[in-house]
Amino acid sequence: MSLILGLETSCDETAAAVVADGRKILSSVVASQVELHRQYGGVFPEMASRQHILDIVPVLEETLLGAAGAEWTALDALAVTSGPGLVGSLLVGVNVAKAIAWATALPLIGVNHLEAHLYANWLFTPAEGTNEEIKPLPAPRFPLICLIVSGGHTDLVLMTGHGQYRVLGRTVDDAAGEAFDKVARLLGLGYPGGPAIQAQAGGGNPQRFDLPRPMLKDGYNFSFSGLKTAVLRIVQKYEGRGRKPFKQRSRMVTSRTAPLLRRLPLADLAASFQAAVVDVLVEKTKRATEQFQVEQVLLAGGVASNTLLRQQMVARLNVPVRYPPPELCTDNAAMVASTGYFKYMTGERHSWDLDVCPSLALTHPS
Ligand code: KG4
Ligand code: ZN
């Protein structure tokens, strides 16, 4: 059995985890900074890196205690997210990982955060309080299509083996999660936007507003900024205001100005927006499964916890669809440890010059 310690600090979650053989989570701890950043309506990078510094040692200690008091000597390697992400945040994790690797002589493995999101689909958690394991699903089968939808990325990927990716398409402007966050701000729903829009949409009519499905028939790239503008136009119409640039408009929708939106059918607009995003994501994924004749589809990233997206993927695709539980869709370190394990098995190691790469891509589009 190989035990990998994973570390994740790429954005606003400080996380550590111990995973056995790339699949079984022995311990996973996530310290979220959501409350800290809520007042700014998004992640404040400087505050995020400072908070990582405060949280990382307690998170590490709790993780090791949770893994039946795993000693450093029981571990086989150390995996850490080295990009993409916020530079100051990434630096905290990478430097702590280097310090641990130096002190313990454990092998050090830098992991791509996008790849890690995808590997969340390999993980399972043993049943709590018993020695019995929930019977894990068999490992995903290649070739497969993976849709990575997070706050910073929307990548449609063909995966033919461990570490073998071909990016079929990605967003040309906003990421799917970013669109949820921006539209939520526009509607005065707060941060993070995805869960807030999903909650509003629950009571709404998704057919009330006929919103665009950008680039639906157009290759595998995505575009969400036009959809955001279409929502803005509807908000302006309900307010009886003239056309205003988005930046100016979004600054005006704060909790203080929220009463202005009273006449807006918020639930219907949230439901219509969510339906439009999901429609585009499902349609392109479906087309990719048909073109590449894959075994299955994996969903990954924060937006993969969206209930409508999960339901529609399962209902409309002709191949099995798999997605992690919500707590493994958003940022965590178990997914980093899992990725690290598969790299460890192929002999991949990093030296002391492992650097952070804020704009690291999965691979370049082919
Ligand atoms: O993967 P993640 O935790 O962080 C990044 O690496 O970006 O993703 C965060 C994103 C945010 O944009 C958040 O609004 C979105 O995931 N999100 C959701 C839902 N839960 C989180 N979007 C739609 N529906 C959800 N239920
Ligand atoms: Zn992420």
Side-chain angles (χ1 to χ4, degrees):
M1 184 174 72
S2 296
L3 289 189
I4 312 290
L5 173 66
L7 278 182
E8 157 64 41
T9 64
S10 68
C11 190
D12 60 343
E13 260 97 28
T14 316
V18 177
V19 171
D21 293 334
R23 299 206 61 200
K24 181 174 168 184
I25 302 175
L26 300 187
S27 176
S28 177
V29 177
V30 179
S32 170
Q33 301 178 8
V34 161
E35 289 312 318
L36 179 70
H37 299 289
R38 202 186 294 281
Q39 58 191 306
Y40 306 106
V43 179
F44 189 147
E46 176 67 20
M47 307 258 301
S49 31
R50 284 165 188 259
Q51 194 62 39
H52 284 309
I53 290 173
L54 296 176
D55 288 342
I56 190 130
V57 172
V59 163
L60 259 169
E61 283 173 347
E62 197 182 327
T63 303
L64 291 177
L65 276 175
E71 301 289 330
W72 293 113
T73 48
L75 300 173
D76 293 278
L78 187 61
V80 62
T81 303
S82 58
L86 301 169
V87 65
S89 292
L90 290 165
L91 276 167
V92 177
V94 167
N95 282 305
V96 166
K98 282 184 186 175
I100 297 172
W102 181 77
T104 58
L106 284 172
L108 176 68
I109 300 163
V111 164
N112 183 316
H113 181 80
L114 298 174
E115 197 174 357
H117 269 302
L118 196 156
Y119 272 95
N121 284 287
W122 267 257
L123 294 167
F124 67 92
T125 313
E128 229 172 286
T130 72
N131 288 329
E132 277 178 41
E133 288 165 11
I134 296 171
K135 202 165 161 26
L137 285 173
R141 290 189 313 275
F142 303 113
L144 54 86
I145 291 288
C146 186
L147 178 69
I148 308 172
V149 268
S150 70
H153 294 83
T154 306
D155 286 5
L156 190 65
V157 181
L158 172 67
M159 188 177 182
T160 50
H162 288 294
Q164 287 168 17
Y165 311 105
R166 179 171 156 204
V167 178
L168 305 174
R170 50 173 57 127
T171 182
V172 296
D173 41 51
D174 292 346
E178 189 179 359
F180 270 97
D181 292 338
K182 285 181 174 171
V183 167
R185 202 178 315 149
L186 190 63
L187 300 178
L189 292 177
Y191 167 86
I197 288 197
Q198 174 169 312
Q200 273 293 330
N205 171 9
Q207 265 123 39
R208 169 83 178 261
F209 296 100
D210 186 18
L211 292 171
R213 269 56 174 165
M215 299 175 78
L216 190 64
K217 304 275 172 228
D218 226 4
Y220 290 120
N221 281 341
F222 301 90
S223 165
F224 293 109
S225 80
L227 187 52
K228 174 191 69 193
T229 310
V231 173
L232 169 66
R233 297 282 174 260
I234 292 168
V235 173
Q236 287 176 334
K237 205 178 106 204
Y238 271 83
E239 283 183 0
R241 285 164 185 258
R243 189 171 174 274
K244 286 203 169 68
F246 180 69
K247 278 213 169 87
Q248 192 184 343
R249 182 67 199 78
S250 62
R251 239 187 291 125
M252 290 174 63
V253 181
T254 62
S255 49
R256 273 179 290 123
T257 57
L260 279 176
L261 303 181
R262 226 177 281 143
R263 287 178 299 142
L264 187 73
L266 207 54
D268 292 348
L269 190 48
S272 303
F273 165 76
Q274 180 179 251
V277 174
V278 166
D279 221 13
V280 176
L281 294 174
V282 173
E283 185 61 31
K284 297 211 179 209
T285 307
K286 182 174 165 63
R287 202 168 348 115
T289 61
E290 287 159 4
Q291 181 179 347
F292 296 98
Q293 297 286 303
V294 294
E295 293 277 341
Q296 58 192 160
V297 163
L298 308 183
L299 307 181
V303 184
S305 48
N306 184 276
T307 311
L308 184 71
L309 179 67
R310 292 165 174 239
Q311 285 168 352
Q312 290 290 304
M313 285 280 184
V314 172
R316 286 161 55 181
L317 267 51
N318 296 320
V319 292
V321 178
R322 189 158 160 163
Y323 41 79
E327 68 276 13
L328 293 175
C329 285
T330 45
D331 288 352
N332 65 87
M335 64 186 196
V336 178
S338 173
T339 317
Y341 167 78
F342 290 102
K343 294 189 177 300
Y344 174 71
M345 295 309 279
T346 61
E348 199 172 317
R349 307 285 186 269
H350 283 98
S351 53
W352 298 126
D353 60 4
L354 171 66
D355 202 358
V356 301
C357 184
S359 58
L360 190 63
L362 193 56
T363 57
H364 295 287
S366 47

